[in-house]
Amino acid sequence: MDWLYTFDLIGCGVFAISGAILAFKRKMDGVGVLVLAAVTAIGGGTIRDLLLDAPVFWLTDANYFYVIFVASFGAVIWINQTQKLPAKSLEFADALGLALFVVMGTEKALSYGVSDITAIIMGMMTGCFGGMLRDVLANRVPMILQKELYAMCCIIGASIYVLALHFIPGIAVALGFSTVFILRLAAIKWHWQIHVFRYKN
Amino acid sequence: MDWLYTFDLIGCGVFAISGAILAFKRKMDGVGVLVLAAVTAIGGGTIRDLLLDAPVFWLTDANYFYVIFVASFGAVIWINQTQKLPAKSLEFADALGLALFVVMGTEKALSYGVSDITAIIMGMMTGCFGGMLRDVLANRVPMILQKELYAMCCIIGASIYVLALHFIPGIAVALGFSTVFILRLAAIKWHWQIHVFRYKN
Amino acid sequence: MDWLYTFDLIGCGVFAISGAILAFKRKMDGVGVLVLAAVTAIGGGTIRDLLLDAPVFWLTDANYFYVIFVASFGAVIWINQTQKLPAKSLEFADALGLALFVVMGTEKALSYGVSDITAIIMGMMTGCFGGMLRDVLANRVPMILQKELYAMCCIIGASIYVLALHFIPGIAVALGFSTVFILRLAAIKWHWQIHVFRYKN
């Protein structure tokens, strides 16, 4: 489907920008920016494909690299011009890319015949593990392990998508997509957290 | 073999608890606990299967996820109730899981026709690399690279298992298993270390 | 080709030594040295093979492990005897190994039928990602993201190799190899950097 592919490339671009921003904070050089941007953008889908033993999606499609290159380049110019990080304005776009990655990742896993629960985990990985690799390379504890329900939005959205496929397949994509998207924006706005541990002082 | 599978799930549960404990120390949220627990429990076997180009073992078996979920949940409740880390009491169980993972990992690699030395390395990876990924995600130097002969117990145990397969296959599993198990407990008790570097002051 | 294989083993040995040196700085034990040496030496090629869905190159060839073992052992003895790090004297050998890994990685990727740009990225990965894994395990921001054009030399060399294959295939290997080698040594000597970000203050 053409528009799915377009959204996928947009998601890649947005994720690449978040990698470039972290590269700026870590004072990386030109290649560091590109590597960190690429890892963020295609890392999650790559891990998914390796685990499914599917052909890695970017092996035969260089468009992903062009998008990553253009997005990183744009981010560098923007940061140099304005000396501001576009973090806030990115959150909307990031939630968009995330929602799409989760639905597409779950869908791809299902098409390889795995069980529902495995597909949900694959959807979460597609959305979250690129950012996890990015944070590991930048030598910090991955954000998805600590903040604002990032991974939980993905798991809930993927679950609803899989459930909907059984009962109302016609609107499953729309339902899964908007669940991730809305939950993510809400989690940012109201600073939702799941504190499972009680710490005494 | 049914009892091997049961032990495998027990090993997963124990490793998941060690992931949850580290998540507590790093003040992670609910998803962080689950991700860190899962990576610790199934990371080593996953890397082994990817390298062997074998189907990843949990792709078609959701039981591993149920075990990880229950073990993490139990660990969270225990930690919140007692405000103590069960680290000491876990060491026995951890050594048990380790010994089993090493023997099963070596066995699986051999069944894919690799050489003895490669199978030994795969056995070590199955036992150790889950904990290595856990430590990388928690942003610390992996324990297996620094302490108490963790990986060395695995290499010796896997080697004895492979050797025994050639000469006394009937007791190879028991021999490999008990080697890892006893060496590991001994290394903890007497703080064995292999210092290869001499540091001047 | 026999001499390519020989060079490959030499490259592995050199990279293994760089892993052992970092293990010394991090005060790791005997197994830590071996694991870090092995990850540095064969990590890049392993990631390449996983992504290409090729059989991992060391699965059926234990020679790589012998080389890693001997090189690490030699490095430990040297460091203990002299209490000096052979960092400077290694740079020449490291550039040699790097140049060879890049050309061989690009060649292997092309033989699996990927596009030119993907092959170039695979060549870069073969040369650089072993060191990146080494740095992640040692809990520091990977050197290739921050310093001295490490990855850029690989990308330029791989590009020239791919270009030459189209027009002057007879000297493509020599051209790609010497590009990486000379660029790398020049980048070290004159401290070349690509600063893409302007920092105020």
Side-chain angles (χ1 to χ4, degrees), chain C residues 62-115:
Chain C
N63 283 342
Y64 290 97
F65 294 116
Y66 300 137
V67 167
I68 289 165
F69 189 81
V70 170
S72 316
F73 200 72
V76 168
I77 290 177
W78 165 273
I79 292 173
N80 281 337
Q81 288 293 328
T82 64
Q83 295 287 319
K84 281 190 307 190
L85 296 181
K88 281 286 162 197
S89 49
L90 254 189
E91 279 171 354
F92 186 84
D94 182 71
L96 200 80
L98 185 70
L100 194 90
F101 275 27
V102 168
V103 172
M104 289 185 64
T106 312
E107 174 60 38
K108 182 158 187 181
L110 285 174
S111 80
Y112 275 78
V114 303
S115 68

Side-chain angles (χ1 to χ4, degrees), chain A:
Chain A
M1 271 174 278
D2 244 10
W3 61 272
L4 263 185
Y5 180 64
T6 310
F7 272 133
D8 198 24
L9 289 175
I10 293 174
C12 265
V14 174
F15 277 36
I17 292 173
S18 91
I21 290 172
L22 189 55
F24 170 76
K25 291 187 188 162
R26 286 290 186 279
K27 297 181 186 290
M28 292 180 180
D29 73 3
V31 182
V33 177
L34 281 178
V35 172
L36 214 62
V39 163
T40 314
I42 61 180
T46 303
I47 293 177
R48 176 202 61 211
D49 288 351
L50 287 177
L51 293 173
L52 288 174
D53 207 13
V56 178
F57 67 100
W58 46 266
L59 265 191
T60 48
D61 183 354
N63 283 342
Y64 291 96
F65 293 117
Y66 300 137
V67 167
I68 290 165
F69 189 81
V70 170
S72 316
F73 201 72
V76 167
I77 289 176
W78 165 272
I79 293 174
N80 280 337
Q81 288 291 329
T82 63
Q83 295 287 320
K84 282 191 306 191
L85 297 181
K88 282 286 163 198
S89 49
L90 255 188
E91 279 170 354
F92 187 85
D94 182 71
L96 199 80
L98 186 71
L100 194 91
F101 276 27
V102 168
V103 172
M104 289 186 63
T106 312
E107 174 59 38
K108 180 157 188 182
L110 285 174
S111 79
Y112 275 78
V114 304
S115 67
D116 283 0
I117 190 173
T118 308
I120 291 166
I121 288 164
M122 292 278 172
M124 186 270 281
M125 281 182 177
T126 311
C128 297
F129 275 33
M132 200 167 83
L133 289 179
R134 175 199 65 207
D135 291 347
V136 165
L137 289 180
N139 201 21
R140 66 178 190 190
V141 176
M143 198 199 70
I144 71 147
L145 301 178
Q146 297 189 302
K147 277 212 316 195
E148 281 170 357
L149 292 179
Y150 207 91
M152 188 53 85
C153 299
C154 301
I155 290 175
I156 295 173
S159 305
I160 284 179
Y161 173 64
V162 166
L163 261 179
L165 278 182
H166 288 300
F167 301 111
I168 34 173
I171 59 163
V173 169
L175 213 57
F177 177 88
S178 37
T179 305
V180 179
F181 186 60
I182 291 168
L183 275 182
R184 177 74 194 122
L185 290 183
I188 293 172
K189 186 160 177 55
W190 290 294
H191 302 285
W192 285 349
Q193 294 242 322
I194 316 179
H195 293 298
V196 296
F197 292 116
R198 285 182 298 134
Y199 293 95
K200 288 214 178 120
N201 296 323

Side-chain angles (χ1 to χ4, degrees), chain B residues 13-43:
Chain B
V14 174
F15 278 35
I17 293 172
S18 91
I21 290 172
L22 190 54
F24 170 76
K25 291 187 188 164
R26 287 288 185 280
K27 298 180 186 293
M28 292 180 181
D29 73 2
V31 182
V33 177
L34 281 178
V35 172
L36 214 62
V39 162
T40 313
I42 61 181

